[in-house]
Amino acid sequence: MLFNSFSLILFGPALERMLGSGRFLFIYLFSGFAANVATLIFEPLTYTHVGSSGAIFGLFGYYIAIIIFRKRMMSQQNTQIILVLCAVSLIMTFLQPNINVVAHLFGLLGGFLVGAIPYFNKKDLSDSIQTTASWASSQRRNVSFQSPVKVLIWAVIIILAILGFWK
């Protein structure tokens, strides 16, 4: 609950300034609704959860849609911060016990869809994929100069995240 509140305070105001209060509230509520309905469908009826984390992940999903489809709205530095925090949050979703994985994933998906559908454009998607691929290839050269311990730690984190996904 504390992490959800902290995330909302940290990421909510900037997105609300970009979109306006009405659209922000719609995204937050829609994502939370999608996450909770998915939980109702995929989890047993006795499953207990707080219900706000799906809405928080919906904000992350909307940010990802902005990064992919309207990349000019955010600086490169903010884009990198959001992507890293989304990745860490997703990894922690699968590693921590008592986390509603379904709500996190469907909240993320709900927020992404709300952000992506009005702006879906094949050219923008293609440009975004090409930009991401060129960034990844430039980063690949840097990985060979990383210390073996650092590479090993990241490999373990990725493996644990994948194993957590197949729980």
Side-chain angles (χ1 to χ4, degrees), residues 9-39:
I9 290 170
L10 192 60
F11 298 108
L15 188 59
E16 186 177 11
R17 278 192 300 276
M18 276 194 272
L19 304 174
S21 297
R23 286 184 69 190
F24 176 81
L25 183 62
F26 174 76
I27 292 160
Y28 186 80
L29 292 176
F30 177 82
S31 301
F33 181 76
N36 284 299
V37 168
T39 299

Side-chain angles (χ1 to χ4, degrees), residues 9-10 17 19 28 37 53 69 74 78 87 92 95 97 99 107-108 111 120 135 144 148 150 165:
I9 290 170
L10 192 60
R17 278 192 300 276
L19 304 174
Y28 186 80
V37 168
S53 60
F69 297 107
M74 290 179 56
N78 287 339
M92 295 309 291
L95 295 180
I99 297 292
L108 185 72
F120 182 74
W135 176 82
S144 63
K150 192 173 184 180
F165 182 69

Side-chain angles (χ1 to χ4, degrees), residues 4 10 16 18 28 47-48 53 59 72-73 76 83 106 116 123 129 146 157 166:
N4 291 340
L10 192 60
E16 186 177 11
M18 276 194 272
Y28 186 80
Y47 188 80
T48 307
S53 60
L59 299 180
R72 290 170 190 87
M73 283 184 73
Q76 184 67 23
L83 289 176
F106 277 87
K123 183 184 179 323
I129 290 171
Q146 299 286 335
I157 290 171
W166 284 315

